Amino acid sequence: MGLVTLCKYRRTKTPLFMEQAGVNLYSLEELAYFLYENICLVDSRFFNERLCRWLLEELDCKELTEKIRKGIAVGTETNRLIFLVVKEAGLYSETEHRELALRMERLNTLKEQERLKLRADELLKNRNEWAAIEEYQHILKMHQNHRLGMEFYSAVWNNLGVCYARQFLFEQAAECFDTAYEYQPKEEIARQAELARTLMKGVPAEEKGQVVIEERPQEKLLQWERAYRSCTRI
């Protein structure tokens, strides 16, 4: 039998939309779960008056709302505000609370570019490509930190290419993959760049020295795009 957790608070009529993940939240427990599983997506901007109004008006969480508002006013660390919500929901055990604390401590030890990449990777994982693009571009505009290594920047360019490819912007995707290859010449990255260029042209790749003429090019283009997505890696 599975574990069943009874919600302490009512289910809301109006959800809280999480743009980072593209999901609606309907209870304090769902909010706590989102925070617990997606700490890379949460920063100081997350805790704002919009969230407070939702907690107060939809869930009647008066004490929690007051604590968060006070925390915002005095500049309380985001990690502490996350704990306020997670503990109030009563969804996790003390062991899981300690695990969450360790994960947040590890995040604090990372360099700013590494934290931004984790956030961008989560956005990409949640199919929020445009938000991920902004984060990856932010990293690339920063002063390059040589301590992070060539592999790190190759991964940033590669994932930026994945974002563009998912939006059918294959020319930009190919350029990103080419740059990723310059940082780290991997065969897989080269294949992705080649496939992106093929999709960009909108013509089938040569097979055994002959160009295959398709009667339905749009259907073929979609097949290539699906094949491309299957070989891309975050």
PDB file of all heavy atoms in Angstrom, residues 199-233:
ATOM      1  N   LEU A 199      18.056  20.281 -40.468  1.00  0.00           N
ATOM      2  CA  LEU A 199      16.706  20.758 -40.187  1.00  0.00           C
ATOM      3  C   LEU A 199      16.539  22.217 -40.601  1.00  0.00           C
ATOM      4  O   LEU A 199      15.462  22.627 -41.045  1.00  0.00           O
ATOM      5  CB  LEU A 199      16.408  20.599 -38.694  1.00  0.00           C
ATOM      6  CG  LEU A 199      16.288  19.155 -38.197  1.00  0.00           C
ATOM      7  CD1 LEU A 199      16.336  19.116 -36.680  1.00  0.00           C
ATOM      8  CD2 LEU A 199      15.012  18.511 -38.689  1.00  0.00           C
ATOM      9  N   MET A 200      17.595  23.000 -40.450  1.00  0.00           N
ATOM     10  CA  MET A 200      17.556  24.416 -40.816  1.00  0.00           C
ATOM     11  C   MET A 200      17.284  24.574 -42.308  1.00  0.00           C
ATOM     12  O   MET A 200      16.512  25.445 -42.731  1.00  0.00           O
ATOM     13  CB  MET A 200      18.887  25.071 -40.437  1.00  0.00           C
ATOM     14  CG  MET A 200      19.017  26.522 -40.859  1.00  0.00           C
ATOM     15  SD  MET A 200      20.671  27.155 -40.465  1.00  0.00           S
ATOM     16  CE  MET A 200      21.686  26.186 -41.598  1.00  0.00           C
ATOM     17  N   LYS A 201      17.896  23.719 -43.122  1.00  0.00           N
ATOM     18  CA  LYS A 201      17.741  23.817 -44.576  1.00  0.00           C
ATOM     19  C   LYS A 201      16.374  23.325 -45.040  1.00  0.00           C
ATOM     20  O   LYS A 201      15.911  23.709 -46.115  1.00  0.00           O
ATOM     21  CB  LYS A 201      18.842  23.008 -45.267  1.00  0.00           C
ATOM     22  CG  LYS A 201      20.248  23.556 -45.026  1.00  0.00           C
ATOM     23  CD  LYS A 201      21.291  22.645 -45.633  1.00  0.00           C
ATOM     24  CE  LYS A 201      22.702  23.147 -45.335  1.00  0.00           C
ATOM     25  NZ  LYS A 201      23.731  22.234 -45.859  1.00  0.00           N
ATOM     26  N   GLY A 202      15.764  22.451 -44.246  1.00  0.00           N
ATOM     27  CA  GLY A 202      14.455  21.934 -44.628  1.00  0.00           C
ATOM     28  C   GLY A 202      14.508  20.954 -45.768  1.00  0.00           C
ATOM     29  O   GLY A 202      13.524  20.733 -46.463  1.00  0.00           O
ATOM     30  N   VAL A 203      15.689  20.344 -46.000  1.00  0.00           N
ATOM     31  CA  VAL A 203      15.829  19.348 -47.053  1.00  0.00           C
ATOM     32  C   VAL A 203      16.396  18.088 -46.433  1.00  0.00           C
ATOM     33  O   VAL A 203      17.131  18.146 -45.442  1.00  0.00           O
ATOM     34  CB  VAL A 203      16.766  19.822 -48.181  1.00  0.00           C
ATOM     35  CG1 VAL A 203      16.169  21.033 -48.880  1.00  0.00           C
ATOM     36  CG2 VAL A 203      18.150  20.138 -47.640  1.00  0.00           C
ATOM     37  N   PRO A 204      16.054  16.921 -46.968  1.00  0.00           N
ATOM     38  CA  PRO A 204      16.547  15.671 -46.395  1.00  0.00           C
ATOM     39  C   PRO A 204      18.043  15.506 -46.577  1.00  0.00           C
ATOM     40  O   PRO A 204      18.618  16.010 -47.538  1.00  0.00           O
ATOM     41  CB  PRO A 204      15.776  14.585 -47.160  1.00  0.00           C
ATOM     42  CG  PRO A 204      15.419  15.235 -48.453  1.00  0.00           C
ATOM     43  CD  PRO A 204      15.199  16.691 -48.133  1.00  0.00           C
ATOM     44  N   ALA A 205      18.668  14.847 -45.620  1.00  0.00           N
ATOM     45  CA  ALA A 205      20.094  14.578 -45.719  1.00  0.00           C
ATOM     46  C   ALA A 205      20.366  13.563 -46.821  1.00  0.00           C
ATOM     47  O   ALA A 205      19.501  12.779 -47.207  1.00  0.00           O
ATOM     48  CB  ALA A 205      20.607  14.057 -44.378  1.00  0.00           C
ATOM     49  N   GLU A 206      21.582  13.584 -47.344  1.00  0.00           N
ATOM     50  CA  GLU A 206      21.952  12.640 -48.391  1.00  0.00           C
ATOM     51  C   GLU A 206      22.053  11.241 -47.822  1.00  0.00           C
ATOM     52  O   GLU A 206      22.567  11.027 -46.736  1.00  0.00           O
ATOM     53  CB  GLU A 206      23.281  13.048 -49.025  1.00  0.00           C
ATOM     54  CG  GLU A 206      23.202  14.349 -49.805  1.00  0.00           C
ATOM     55  CD  GLU A 206      24.496  14.644 -50.501  1.00  0.00           C
ATOM     56  OE1 GLU A 206      25.426  13.818 -50.390  1.00  0.00           O
ATOM     57  OE2 GLU A 206      24.587  15.684 -51.169  1.00  0.00           O
ATOM     58  N   GLU A 207      21.518  10.301 -48.556  1.00  0.00           N
ATOM     59  CA  GLU A 207      21.593   8.899 -48.160  1.00  0.00           C
ATOM     60  C   GLU A 207      22.279   8.129 -49.292  1.00  0.00           C
ATOM     61  O   GLU A 207      21.776   8.067 -50.417  1.00  0.00           O
ATOM     62  CB  GLU A 207      20.184   8.337 -47.899  1.00  0.00           C
ATOM     63  CG  GLU A 207      19.486   9.017 -46.722  1.00  0.00           C
ATOM     64  CD  GLU A 207      18.132   8.417 -46.441  1.00  0.00           C
ATOM     65  OE1 GLU A 207      17.801   7.398 -47.100  1.00  0.00           O
ATOM     66  OE2 GLU A 207      17.414   8.944 -45.589  1.00  0.00           O
ATOM     67  N   LYS A 208      23.431   7.598 -48.982  1.00  0.00           N
ATOM     68  CA  LYS A 208      24.225   6.822 -49.931  1.00  0.00           C
ATOM     69  C   LYS A 208      24.523   7.640 -51.188  1.00  0.00           C
ATOM     70  O   LYS A 208      24.428   7.151 -52.319  1.00  0.00           O
ATOM     71  CB  LYS A 208      23.495   5.523 -50.302  1.00  0.00           C
ATOM     72  CG  LYS A 208      23.315   4.599 -49.117  1.00  0.00           C
ATOM     73  CD  LYS A 208      22.622   3.320 -49.517  1.00  0.00           C
ATOM     74  CE  LYS A 208      22.440   2.402 -48.318  1.00  0.00           C
ATOM     75  NZ  LYS A 208      21.752   1.138 -48.674  1.00  0.00           N
ATOM     76  N   GLY A 209      24.827   8.922 -50.995  1.00  0.00           N
ATOM     77  CA  GLY A 209      25.219   9.761 -52.115  1.00  0.00           C
ATOM     78  C   GLY A 209      24.076  10.316 -52.934  1.00  0.00           C
ATOM     79  O   GLY A 209      24.293  11.055 -53.880  1.00  0.00           O
ATOM     80  N   GLN A 210      22.822   9.986 -52.573  1.00  0.00           N
ATOM     81  CA  GLN A 210      21.685  10.479 -53.321  1.00  0.00           C
ATOM     82  C   GLN A 210      20.765  11.281 -52.401  1.00  0.00           C
ATOM     83  O   GLN A 210      20.592  10.938 -51.232  1.00  0.00           O
ATOM     84  CB  GLN A 210      20.895   9.323 -53.944  1.00  0.00           C
ATOM     85  CG  GLN A 210      21.699   8.540 -54.988  1.00  0.00           C
ATOM     86  CD  GLN A 210      20.863   7.431 -55.597  1.00  0.00           C
ATOM     87  OE1 GLN A 210      19.816   7.090 -55.079  1.00  0.00           O
ATOM     88  NE2 GLN A 210      21.336   6.875 -56.694  1.00  0.00           N
ATOM     89  N   VAL A 211      20.175  12.318 -52.946  1.00  0.00           N
ATOM     90  CA  VAL A 211      19.226  13.108 -52.188  1.00  0.00           C
ATOM     91  C   VAL A 211      17.846  12.482 -52.331  1.00  0.00           C
ATOM     92  O   VAL A 211      17.356  12.257 -53.438  1.00  0.00           O
ATOM     93  CB  VAL A 211      19.183  14.569 -52.676  1.00  0.00           C
ATOM     94  CG1 VAL A 211      18.111  15.346 -51.926  1.00  0.00           C
ATOM     95  CG2 VAL A 211      20.539  15.228 -52.474  1.00  0.00           C
ATOM     96  N   VAL A 212      17.237  12.179 -51.223  1.00  0.00           N
ATOM     97  CA  VAL A 212      15.920  11.561 -51.230  1.00  0.00           C
ATOM     98  C   VAL A 212      14.856  12.637 -51.391  1.00  0.00           C
ATOM     99  O   VAL A 212      14.802  13.586 -50.614  1.00  0.00           O
ATOM    100  CB  VAL A 212      15.681  10.779 -49.921  1.00  0.00           C
ATOM    101  CG1 VAL A 212      14.305  10.135 -49.945  1.00  0.00           C
ATOM    102  CG2 VAL A 212      16.768   9.736 -49.748  1.00  0.00           C
ATOM    103  N   ILE A 213      14.000  12.518 -52.383  1.00  0.00           N
ATOM    104  CA  ILE A 213      12.926  13.477 -52.614  1.00  0.00           C
ATOM    105  C   ILE A 213      11.672  12.995 -51.875  1.00  0.00           C
ATOM    106  O   ILE A 213      11.184  11.890 -52.126  1.00  0.00           O
ATOM    107  CB  ILE A 213      12.623  13.626 -54.114  1.00  0.00           C
ATOM    108  CG1 ILE A 213      13.891  13.985 -54.874  1.00  0.00           C
ATOM    109  CG2 ILE A 213      11.535  14.679 -54.329  1.00  0.00           C
ATOM    110  CD1 ILE A 213      14.523  15.292 -54.432  1.00  0.00           C
ATOM    111  N   GLU A 214      11.186  13.809 -50.986  1.00  0.00           N
ATOM    112  CA  GLU A 214      10.012  13.460 -50.203  1.00  0.00           C
ATOM    113  C   GLU A 214       8.768  14.122 -50.781  1.00  0.00           C
ATOM    114  O   GLU A 214       8.772  15.302 -51.137  1.00  0.00           O
ATOM    115  CB  GLU A 214      10.186  13.909 -48.747  1.00  0.00           C
ATOM    116  CG  GLU A 214      11.259  13.144 -48.006  1.00  0.00           C
ATOM    117  CD  GLU A 214      10.875  11.700 -47.748  1.00  0.00           C
ATOM    118  OE1 GLU A 214       9.666  11.403 -47.675  1.00  0.00           O
ATOM    119  OE2 GLU A 214      11.795  10.876 -47.640  1.00  0.00           O
ATOM    120  N   GLU A 215       7.684  13.340 -50.868  1.00  0.00           N
ATOM    121  CA  GLU A 215       6.430  13.895 -51.356  1.00  0.00           C
ATOM    122  C   GLU A 215       5.776  14.780 -50.300  1.00  0.00           C
ATOM    123  O   GLU A 215       5.017  15.685 -50.637  1.00  0.00           O
ATOM    124  CB  GLU A 215       5.477  12.757 -51.746  1.00  0.00           C
ATOM    125  CG  GLU A 215       5.990  11.938 -52.934  1.00  0.00           C
ATOM    126  CD  GLU A 215       5.017  10.838 -53.288  1.00  0.00           C
ATOM    127  OE1 GLU A 215       3.984  10.704 -52.592  1.00  0.00           O
ATOM    128  OE2 GLU A 215       5.269  10.113 -54.274  1.00  0.00           O
ATOM    129  N   ARG A 216       6.046  14.521 -49.037  1.00  0.00           N
ATOM    130  CA  ARG A 216       5.464  15.291 -47.952  1.00  0.00           C
ATOM    131  C   ARG A 216       6.589  15.861 -47.089  1.00  0.00           C
ATOM    132  O   ARG A 216       6.907  15.317 -46.028  1.00  0.00           O
ATOM    133  CB  ARG A 216       4.529  14.424 -47.110  1.00  0.00           C
ATOM    134  CG  ARG A 216       3.335  13.872 -47.917  1.00  0.00           C
ATOM    135  CD  ARG A 216       2.455  13.012 -47.051  1.00  0.00           C
ATOM    136  NE  ARG A 216       1.312  12.504 -47.788  1.00  0.00           N
ATOM    137  CZ  ARG A 216       0.389  11.696 -47.260  1.00  0.00           C
ATOM    138  NH1 ARG A 216       0.491  11.316 -45.996  1.00  0.00           N
ATOM    139  NH2 ARG A 216      -0.623  11.272 -48.000  1.00  0.00           N
ATOM    140  N   PRO A 217       7.222  16.924 -47.509  1.00  0.00           N
ATOM    141  CA  PRO A 217       8.394  17.448 -46.788  1.00  0.00           C
ATOM    142  C   PRO A 217       8.089  17.893 -45.371  1.00  0.00           C
ATOM    143  O   PRO A 217       8.941  17.793 -44.498  1.00  0.00           O
ATOM    144  CB  PRO A 217       8.831  18.641 -47.662  1.00  0.00           C
ATOM    145  CG  PRO A 217       7.615  19.011 -48.449  1.00  0.00           C
ATOM    146  CD  PRO A 217       6.896  17.722 -48.691  1.00  0.00           C
ATOM    147  N   GLN A 218       6.878  18.429 -45.114  1.00  0.00           N
ATOM    148  CA  GLN A 218       6.555  18.895 -43.766  1.00  0.00           C
ATOM    149  C   GLN A 218       6.530  17.732 -42.777  1.00  0.00           C
ATOM    150  O   GLN A 218       7.006  17.847 -41.653  1.00  0.00           O
ATOM    151  CB  GLN A 218       5.202  19.618 -43.773  1.00  0.00           C
ATOM    152  CG  GLN A 218       5.219  20.937 -44.535  1.00  0.00           C
ATOM    153  CD  GLN A 218       6.217  21.911 -43.938  1.00  0.00           C
ATOM    154  OE1 GLN A 218       6.401  21.970 -42.732  1.00  0.00           O
ATOM    155  NE2 GLN A 218       6.871  22.686 -44.786  1.00  0.00           N
ATOM    156  N   GLU A 219       5.960  16.605 -43.206  1.00  0.00           N
ATOM    157  CA  GLU A 219       5.936  15.431 -42.332  1.00  0.00           C
ATOM    158  C   GLU A 219       7.353  14.936 -42.068  1.00  0.00           C
ATOM    159  O   GLU A 219       7.688  14.522 -40.950  1.00  0.00           O
ATOM    160  CB  GLU A 219       5.090  14.324 -42.954  1.00  0.00           C
ATOM    161  CG  GLU A 219       3.590  14.640 -42.999  1.00  0.00           C
ATOM    162  CD  GLU A 219       2.788  13.469 -43.507  1.00  0.00           C
ATOM    163  OE1 GLU A 219       3.383  12.377 -43.691  1.00  0.00           O
ATOM    164  OE2 GLU A 219       1.582  13.641 -43.739  1.00  0.00           O
ATOM    165  N   LYS A 220       8.185  14.969 -43.113  1.00  0.00           N
ATOM    166  CA  LYS A 220       9.563  14.531 -42.946  1.00  0.00           C
ATOM    167  C   LYS A 220      10.304  15.455 -41.995  1.00  0.00           C
ATOM    168  O   LYS A 220      11.096  15.005 -41.153  1.00  0.00           O
ATOM    169  CB  LYS A 220      10.271  14.515 -44.305  1.00  0.00           C
ATOM    170  CG  LYS A 220      11.679  13.915 -44.256  1.00  0.00           C
ATOM    171  CD  LYS A 220      11.646  12.457 -43.830  1.00  0.00           C
ATOM    172  CE  LYS A 220      13.031  11.836 -43.851  1.00  0.00           C
ATOM    173  NZ  LYS A 220      13.038  10.451 -43.384  1.00  0.00           N
ATOM    174  N   LEU A 221      10.054  16.755 -42.091  1.00  0.00           N
ATOM    175  CA  LEU A 221      10.706  17.720 -41.218  1.00  0.00           C
ATOM    176  C   LEU A 221      10.371  17.428 -39.758  1.00  0.00           C
ATOM    177  O   LEU A 221      11.236  17.486 -38.886  1.00  0.00           O
ATOM    178  CB  LEU A 221      10.281  19.135 -41.587  1.00  0.00           C
ATOM    179  CG  LEU A 221      10.933  20.272 -40.799  1.00  0.00           C
ATOM    180  CD1 LEU A 221      12.436  20.260 -41.003  1.00  0.00           C
ATOM    181  CD2 LEU A 221      10.357  21.616 -41.210  1.00  0.00           C
ATOM    182  N   LEU A 222       9.115  17.095 -39.499  1.00  0.00           N
ATOM    183  CA  LEU A 222       8.711  16.764 -38.127  1.00  0.00           C
ATOM    184  C   LEU A 222       9.407  15.493 -37.646  1.00  0.00           C
ATOM    185  O   LEU A 222       9.785  15.381 -36.477  1.00  0.00           O
ATOM    186  CB  LEU A 222       7.192  16.600 -38.051  1.00  0.00           C
ATOM    187  CG  LEU A 222       6.382  17.897 -38.198  1.00  0.00           C
ATOM    188  CD1 LEU A 222       4.886  17.581 -38.233  1.00  0.00           C
ATOM    189  CD2 LEU A 222       6.669  18.846 -37.048  1.00  0.00           C
ATOM    190  N   GLN A 223       9.586  14.534 -38.562  1.00  0.00           N
ATOM    191  CA  GLN A 223      10.290  13.303 -38.198  1.00  0.00           C
ATOM    192  C   GLN A 223      11.733  13.612 -37.827  1.00  0.00           C
ATOM    193  O   GLN A 223      12.264  13.077 -36.856  1.00  0.00           O
ATOM    194  CB  GLN A 223      10.253  12.310 -39.364  1.00  0.00           C
ATOM    195  CG  GLN A 223       8.869  11.752 -39.656  1.00  0.00           C
ATOM    196  CD  GLN A 223       8.878  10.844 -40.877  1.00  0.00           C
ATOM    197  OE1 GLN A 223       9.931  10.460 -41.386  1.00  0.00           O
ATOM    198  NE2 GLN A 223       7.702  10.509 -41.353  1.00  0.00           N
ATOM    199  N   TRP A 224      12.380  14.482 -38.590  1.00  0.00           N
ATOM    200  CA  TRP A 224      13.764  14.867 -38.272  1.00  0.00           C
ATOM    201  C   TRP A 224      13.830  15.565 -36.930  1.00  0.00           C
ATOM    202  O   TRP A 224      14.749  15.356 -36.157  1.00  0.00           O
ATOM    203  CB  TRP A 224      14.315  15.783 -39.348  1.00  0.00           C
ATOM    204  CG  TRP A 224      14.470  15.158 -40.687  1.00  0.00           C
ATOM    205  CD1 TRP A 224      14.693  13.841 -40.954  1.00  0.00           C
ATOM    206  CD2 TRP A 224      14.396  15.817 -41.948  1.00  0.00           C
ATOM    207  NE1 TRP A 224      14.759  13.638 -42.300  1.00  0.00           N
ATOM    208  CE2 TRP A 224      14.594  14.834 -42.942  1.00  0.00           C
ATOM    209  CE3 TRP A 224      14.195  17.133 -42.343  1.00  0.00           C
ATOM    210  CZ2 TRP A 224      14.577  15.127 -44.292  1.00  0.00           C
ATOM    211  CZ3 TRP A 224      14.195  17.443 -43.691  1.00  0.00           C
ATOM    212  CH2 TRP A 224      14.381  16.446 -44.650  1.00  0.00           C
ATOM    213  N   GLU A 225      12.837  16.437 -36.695  1.00  0.00           N
ATOM    214  CA  GLU A 225      12.845  17.179 -35.430  1.00  0.00           C
ATOM    215  C   GLU A 225      12.704  16.230 -34.253  1.00  0.00           C
ATOM    216  O   GLU A 225      13.388  16.379 -33.239  1.00  0.00           O
ATOM    217  CB  GLU A 225      11.707  18.209 -35.435  1.00  0.00           C
ATOM    218  CG  GLU A 225      11.884  19.336 -34.438  1.00  0.00           C
ATOM    219  CD  GLU A 225      11.414  18.949 -33.061  1.00  0.00           C
ATOM    220  OE1 GLU A 225      10.521  18.076 -32.978  1.00  0.00           O
ATOM    221  OE2 GLU A 225      11.910  19.496 -32.069  1.00  0.00           O
ATOM    222  N   ARG A 226      11.842  15.218 -34.388  1.00  0.00           N
ATOM    223  CA  ARG A 226      11.693  14.228 -33.305  1.00  0.00           C
ATOM    224  C   ARG A 226      12.982  13.442 -33.131  1.00  0.00           C
ATOM    225  O   ARG A 226      13.394  13.141 -32.003  1.00  0.00           O
ATOM    226  CB  ARG A 226      10.518  13.298 -33.606  1.00  0.00           C
ATOM    227  CG  ARG A 226       9.147  13.934 -33.377  1.00  0.00           C
ATOM    228  CD  ARG A 226       8.051  12.891 -33.371  1.00  0.00           C
ATOM    229  NE  ARG A 226       7.867  12.314 -34.704  1.00  0.00           N
ATOM    230  CZ  ARG A 226       6.998  12.779 -35.596  1.00  0.00           C
ATOM    231  NH1 ARG A 226       6.259  13.841 -35.313  1.00  0.00           N
ATOM    232  NH2 ARG A 226       6.865  12.210 -36.775  1.00  0.00           N
ATOM    233  N   ALA A 227      13.617  13.095 -34.233  1.00  0.00           N
ATOM    234  CA  ALA A 227      14.893  12.384 -34.159  1.00  0.00           C
ATOM    235  C   ALA A 227      15.940  13.242 -33.488  1.00  0.00           C
ATOM    236  O   ALA A 227      16.763  12.764 -32.698  1.00  0.00           O
ATOM    237  CB  ALA A 227      15.348  11.978 -35.550  1.00  0.00           C
ATOM    238  N   TYR A 228      15.915  14.539 -33.801  1.00  0.00           N
ATOM    239  CA  TYR A 228      16.865  15.460 -33.177  1.00  0.00           C
ATOM    240  C   TYR A 228      16.679  15.501 -31.672  1.00  0.00           C
ATOM    241  O   TYR A 228      17.624  15.418 -30.908  1.00  0.00           O
ATOM    242  CB  TYR A 228      16.695  16.862 -33.775  1.00  0.00           C
ATOM    243  CG  TYR A 228      17.551  17.881 -33.085  1.00  0.00           C
ATOM    244  CD1 TYR A 228      18.883  18.013 -33.418  1.00  0.00           C
ATOM    245  CD2 TYR A 228      17.033  18.656 -32.058  1.00  0.00           C
ATOM    246  CE1 TYR A 228      19.676  18.925 -32.779  1.00  0.00           C
ATOM    247  CE2 TYR A 228      17.827  19.558 -31.401  1.00  0.00           C
ATOM    248  CZ  TYR A 228      19.157  19.689 -31.755  1.00  0.00           C
ATOM    249  OH  TYR A 228      19.928  20.558 -31.094  1.00  0.00           O
ATOM    250  N   ARG A 229      15.418  15.645 -31.252  1.00  0.00           N
ATOM    251  CA  ARG A 229      15.159  15.720 -29.812  1.00  0.00           C
ATOM    252  C   ARG A 229      15.598  14.469 -29.083  1.00  0.00           C
ATOM    253  O   ARG A 229      16.060  14.514 -27.944  1.00  0.00           O
ATOM    254  CB  ARG A 229      13.669  15.961 -29.548  1.00  0.00           C
ATOM    255  CG  ARG A 229      13.193  17.352 -29.954  1.00  0.00           C
ATOM    256  CD  ARG A 229      11.742  17.563 -29.589  1.00  0.00           C
ATOM    257  NE  ARG A 229      11.306  18.903 -29.938  1.00  0.00           N
ATOM    258  CZ  ARG A 229      10.086  19.355 -29.736  1.00  0.00           C
ATOM    259  NH1 ARG A 229       9.176  18.574 -29.182  1.00  0.00           N
ATOM    260  NH2 ARG A 229       9.753  20.589 -30.067  1.00  0.00           N
ATOM    261  N   SER A 230      15.469  13.312 -29.766  1.00  0.00           N
ATOM    262  CA  SER A 230      15.839  12.055 -29.109  1.00  0.00           C
ATOM    263  C   SER A 230      17.337  11.940 -28.877  1.00  0.00           C
ATOM    264  O   SER A 230      17.779  11.203 -28.007  1.00  0.00           O
ATOM    265  CB  SER A 230      15.352  10.870 -29.937  1.00  0.00           C
ATOM    266  OG  SER A 230      16.079  10.767 -31.149  1.00  0.00           O
ATOM    267  N   CYS A 231      18.129  12.690 -29.650  1.00  0.00           N
ATOM    268  CA  CYS A 231      19.591  12.564 -29.502  1.00  0.00           C
ATOM    269  C   CYS A 231      20.198  13.707 -28.708  1.00  0.00           C
ATOM    270  O   CYS A 231      21.380  13.689 -28.416  1.00  0.00           O
ATOM    271  CB  CYS A 231      20.264  12.457 -30.868  1.00  0.00           C
ATOM    272  SG  CYS A 231      20.421  14.033 -31.737  1.00  0.00           S
ATOM    273  N   THR A 232      19.408  14.729 -28.372  1.00  0.00           N
ATOM    274  CA  THR A 232      19.936  15.831 -27.591  1.00  0.00           C
ATOM    275  C   THR A 232      19.992  15.445 -26.135  1.00  0.00           C
ATOM    276  O   THR A 232      19.190  14.652 -25.654  1.00  0.00           O
ATOM    277  CB  THR A 232      19.088  17.108 -27.752  1.00  0.00           C
ATOM    278  OG1 THR A 232      17.726  16.805 -27.444  1.00  0.00           O
ATOM    279  CG2 THR A 232      19.197  17.661 -29.150  1.00  0.00           C
ATOM    280  N   ARG A 233      20.941  16.024 -25.438  1.00  0.00           N
ATOM    281  CA  ARG A 233      21.120  15.720 -24.023  1.00  0.00           C
ATOM    282  C   ARG A 233      21.244  17.013 -23.253  1.00  0.00           C
ATOM    283  O   ARG A 233      21.894  17.946 -23.699  1.00  0.00           O
ATOM    284  CB  ARG A 233      22.390  14.878 -23.798  1.00  0.00           C
ATOM    285  CG  ARG A 233      22.301  13.494 -24.423  1.00  0.00           C
ATOM    286  CD  ARG A 233      21.293  12.621 -23.699  1.00  0.00           C
ATOM    287  NE  ARG A 233      21.291  11.298 -24.234  1.00  0.00           N
ATOM    288  CZ  ARG A 233      20.546  10.896 -25.269  1.00  0.00           C
ATOM    289  NH1 ARG A 233      19.759  11.756 -25.874  1.00  0.00           N
ATOM    290  NH2 ARG A 233      20.597   9.658 -25.691  1.00  0.00           N
TER     291      ARG A 233
END
